[in-house]
């Protein structure tokens, strides 16, 4: 294992061995190795690079988060006051032993469908910095997760840039059991009063977080932005149904050809739509309180 002490050393080491797999908390990586899904040729340990474990403000109203920022660190009050939805997601990411070592960058690069921080970053329209020897580039989180612009050989995810909206934002998730667990569905919702916009992302129901853009635009038109941001309760309920229908296809959970001739949504789709609708409705209600 290579153990660089600085970001420059890490980038140079990765340039010399582009097949090496960067590792920080290793919560996802070791699970993949133990399951036989991954056999890395070499490992690039990032644990000694302290500059990647913090965060800072940047001109223009942006928070720059190090890829090595742990879930436990994001749950602390100073960070929660800055980006509350991301803190909420980090708080539910797993038991303490996972949150203490699991990192934001690892969550993004692993891109597991149930990754709790991913819908929040999608709703906030965050970007990431990818560094390689002699160059860096900025990529929207959504483009990286969907494979539209993935991490290239020799590149290292270093920073995550999150616009600070200074407005309500909410993260909610549903699991199959009590206590820390993988999400069966999750919803991140943020208000953007400057643009009179609502941004929503649904996680865990698809390989990547989904943005129900039409539902966002519709509900934004129902909000009294000039007054108390009130909304008709019927519109809140309709928004939940709109989001659920947009993000959960009727054939969700279908396993056999017989499903193709079934009229209406599958039972799995009905259950999941109900869950997503409740999460979206509650998230909007809490954001508008």
């Amino acid at each position: 294992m290579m153990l660089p002490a600085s970001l420059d050393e890490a980038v140079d080491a990765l340039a010399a061995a582009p097949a090496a797999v960067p590792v920080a908390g290793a919560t996802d990586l070791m699970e993949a190795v133990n399951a036989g899904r991954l056999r890395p040729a070499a490992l690039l340990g990032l644990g000694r690079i302290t500059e990647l474990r913090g965060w800072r403000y940047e001109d223009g109203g942006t928070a720059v988060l190090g890829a090595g920022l742990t879930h436990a660190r994001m749950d602390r009050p100073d960070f929660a006051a800055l980006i509350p939805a991301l803190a909420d997601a980090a708080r539910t990411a797993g038991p303490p032993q996972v949150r203490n070592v699991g990192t934001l960058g690892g969550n993004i690069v692993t891109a597991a469908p149930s990754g709790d921080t991913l819908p929040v970053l999608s709703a906030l329209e965050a970007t990431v910095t990818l560094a390689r020897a002699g160059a860096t580039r900025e990529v929207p989180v959504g483009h990286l997760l969907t494979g539209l612009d993935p991490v290239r050989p020799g590149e290292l995810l270093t920073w995550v840039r999150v616009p600070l909206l200074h407005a309500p934002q909410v993260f909610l998730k549903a699991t199959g059991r009590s206590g820390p667990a993988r999400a069966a569905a999750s919803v991140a919702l943020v208000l953007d009063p400057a643009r009179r916009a609502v941004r929503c992302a649904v996680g865990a129901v698809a390989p990547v977080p989904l943005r129900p853009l039409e539902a966002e635009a519709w509900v934004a038109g129902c909000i009294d932005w000039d007054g108390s941001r009130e909304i008709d309760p019927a519109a809140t309920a309709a928004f939940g149904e709109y989001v659920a229908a947009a993000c959960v296809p009727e054939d969700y959970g279908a396993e056999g050809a017989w499903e193709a001739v079934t009229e209406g949504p599958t039972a799995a789709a009905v259950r999941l739509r109900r869950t997503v609708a409740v999460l979206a409705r509650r998230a909007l209600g809490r954001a508008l309180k």
Side-chain angles (χ1 to χ4, degrees):
M1 175 183 283
M2 297 174 282
L3 294 171
S6 70
L7 184 53
D8 288 340
E9 287 184 16
V11 170
D12 289 342
L14 199 55
V21 176
V23 56
T27 54
D28 291 320
L29 182 138
M30 290 311 300
E31 180 183 1
V33 169
N34 292 336
R37 299 192 304 271
L38 181 66
R39 288 290 182 265
L43 295 176
L44 180 69
L46 306 176
R48 297 171 60 192
I49 307 177
T50 57
E51 60 191 298
L52 292 182
R53 297 205 295 268
W55 56 272
R56 67 181 187 275
Y57 294 103
E58 193 173 72
D59 291 341
T62 300
V64 182
L65 316 180
L69 197 62
T70 65
H71 291 88
R73 179 64 183 85
M74 288 187 283
D75 187 25
R76 286 169 54 175
D78 59 340
F79 188 92
L82 188 72
I83 314 175
L86 197 53
D88 288 342
R91 186 176 304 120
T92 66
Q97 59 267 35
V98 171
R99 297 198 305 272
N100 286 337
V101 296
T103 64
L104 179 62
N107 218 201
I108 296 170
V109 173
T110 300
S114 59
D116 291 319
T117 67
L118 305 185
V120 179
L121 296 174
S122 180
L124 289 170
E125 297 183 347
T127 63
V128 299
T129 301
L130 299 174
R132 62 186 306 158
T136 62
R137 64 189 183 100
E138 298 291 320
V139 176
V141 164
H143 289 189
L144 187 148
L145 295 176
T146 59
L148 185 63
D149 199 350
V151 179
R152 300 168 187 169
E155 285 186 329
L156 180 66
L157 194 157
T158 54
W159 309 103
V160 182
R161 284 180 162 77
V162 179
L164 298 178
L165 299 178
H166 302 295
Q169 50 185 255
V170 178
F171 172 79
L172 298 174
K173 83 175 189 179
T175 66
R177 58 185 178 84
S178 61
R182 291 184 184 276
S186 62
V187 169
L189 186 140
V190 302
L191 301 185
D192 189 348
R195 299 179 181 177
R196 299 191 171 206
V198 175
R199 300 209 294 270
C200 176
V202 178
V205 304
V208 297
L210 302 177
R211 289 280 302 276
L213 299 178
E214 291 184 359
E216 291 178 3
W218 175 80
V219 80
C222 299
I223 297 173
D224 176 18
W225 294 102
D226 294 319
S228 58
R229 296 181 189 168
E230 292 183 351
I231 188 172
D232 189 318
T236 303
F239 171 69
E241 300 296 334
Y242 202 164
V243 171
C247 296
V248 183
E250 289 196 346
D251 62 351
Y252 181 89
E255 296 180 358
W258 63 272
E259 297 283 7
V261 297
T262 301
E263 292 185 3
T266 64
V270 170
R271 290 192 298 270
L272 188 57
R273 282 185 175 183
R274 186 181 302 120
T275 298
V276 171
V278 170
L279 292 177
R281 183 179 73 240
R282 289 177 179 173
L284 178 63
R286 292 185 185 184
L288 291 174
K289 278 185 178 179

